[in-house]
Amino acid sequence: MADEGEGSVAATSGLARRLCALALLAVSGGLLASACADNESSLFVRMRMARTGDCTVTCGADEPFWTEDTVDAAYAGSHSATLLVGNQIVQRGDPDVLRTETSRVHLYEAEVRVDDIEGNAVTEGYVVPVTGMIDPGTSSDAGYNCAEVLLLDGATMDNLRRRAASLGRDVQVVATVVVRGRTLGGQEVETAEWSYPIRVCFACSRCVDVSPATCCVSSASEECEDNDEVVGTCSGQRGPQDCRNLGQTCAAYIESVRRTL
């Protein structure tokens, strides 16, 4: 009876251990699921920063931002934007116990998908490298930093250039971005999908030929010295183009691009 009792106790202990293991697995699974769900709120894209003045960007939640980009595909081979990314992971560092801060996030890539306004894919999605380090927030305020993300890569722009030239009007698309990062503590985090509208046209910007037209090709002669500079606009906006930046007259340039379509 003693042996049976001991055997019974052993069996009960083994069962208890197994039950505890299952319980811990279930709990840890819940925690992992919770962590995955929290990842999309830990890191987030807030907005597309505006380029102002001399086309520079100032990163910050209170700085100017844009709600739509416009791109002339006749003059652009691709299109990037500066995105403000926020970090809401709580601070972990504590100088009193020599604990380093592990909640800073290093951004390393962005996944981009481009669809038309009806939701049809324009091209296959692609992954591009990004960089940036975001400090943890303080209290209820997130930490912020900017990341330059390629919203329209070369293949996508080629596709949209052909569409816009064929239709003779703007092509409206939506770039959807997921930014990924890694905390200094080794935790992978990513943003929820963030979508941004872009209008793409072909040769809709005003192009300026200087006088005489030969100055478009070369400005080395004296007769070209008095030509004023054409004030352009920042990337993401339509604006005037200077033929001297194209190396030929505006008409010749547009014709050369059309031949490639």
Side-chain angles (χ1 to χ4, degrees):
M1 292 295 293
D3 290 342
E4 289 178 3
E6 289 172 1
S8 176
V9 170
T12 304
S13 298
L15 178 60
R17 283 196 297 271
R18 287 194 293 273
L19 289 174
C20 287
L22 289 171
L24 286 172
L25 182 60
V27 170
S28 64
L31 290 174
L32 287 174
S34 175
C36 291
D38 287 344
N39 277 353
E40 291 191 345
S41 64
S42 298
L43 197 68
F44 63 97
V45 178
R46 175 150 182 165
M47 56 195 177
R48 190 263 201 258
M49 304 306 302
R51 294 189 176 274
T52 58
D54 58 354
C55 293
T56 58
V57 171
T58 302
C59 294
D62 298 324
E63 299 298 329
F65 63 94
W66 288 343
T67 57
E68 182 183 72
D69 280 12
T70 55
V71 182
D72 192 335
Y75 305 100
S78 61
H79 178 62
S80 298
T82 304
L83 308 185
L84 186 68
V85 184
N87 175 15
Q88 294 191 122
I89 303 175
V90 297
Q91 293 184 0
R92 302 290 186 184
D94 188 344
D96 293 334
V97 293
L98 301 180
R99 180 188 295 162
T100 60
E101 182 55 72
T102 60
S103 295
R104 291 185 174 89
V105 175
H106 171 244
L107 306 179
Y108 64 88
E109 73 177 19
E111 184 174 347
V112 183
R113 185 182 75 249
V114 181
D115 302 319
D116 62 24
I117 57 174
E118 295 177 349
N120 302 309
V122 174
T123 55
E124 293 183 4
Y126 49 90
V127 175
V128 294
V130 300
T131 187
M133 182 70 75
I134 312 178
D135 290 335
T138 57
S139 184
S140 60
D141 296 327
Y144 290 102
N145 203 353
C146 283
E148 193 76 8
V149 178
L150 184 65
L151 296 185
L152 302 177
D153 68 355
T156 305
M157 189 66 81
D158 290 344
N159 185 322
L160 295 173
R161 184 182 301 110
R162 289 191 292 268
R163 290 194 189 190
S166 174
L167 294 172
R169 58 173 174 79
D170 289 1
V171 175
Q172 293 178 275
V173 297
V174 176
T176 300
V177 180
V178 173
V179 179
R180 298 192 177 99
R182 185 179 297 112
T183 70
L184 295 186
Q187 178 187 2
E188 293 287 334
V189 288
E190 66 178 30
T191 68
E193 289 188 339
W194 177 84
S195 297
Y196 188 74
I198 306 172
R199 290 178 178 269
V200 179
C201 65
F202 179 79
C204 61
S205 300
R206 181 172 64 93
C207 189
V208 180
D209 282 332
V210 292
S211 182
T214 53
C215 295
C216 291
V217 180
S218 174
S219 300
S221 62
E222 292 183 2
E223 61 186 352
C224 300
E225 291 179 354
D226 294 332
N227 283 321
D228 294 331
E229 292 292 329
V230 176
V231 179
T233 54
C234 304
S235 174
Q237 296 179 313
R238 295 175 191 165
Q241 303 291 325
D242 191 326
C243 71
R244 290 167 290 186
N245 295 329
L246 308 174
Q248 54 192 311
T249 64
C250 297
Y253 174 79
I254 294 300
E255 181 57 30
S256 68
V257 176
R258 286 188 183 279
R259 287 196 296 268
T260 66
L261 299 177

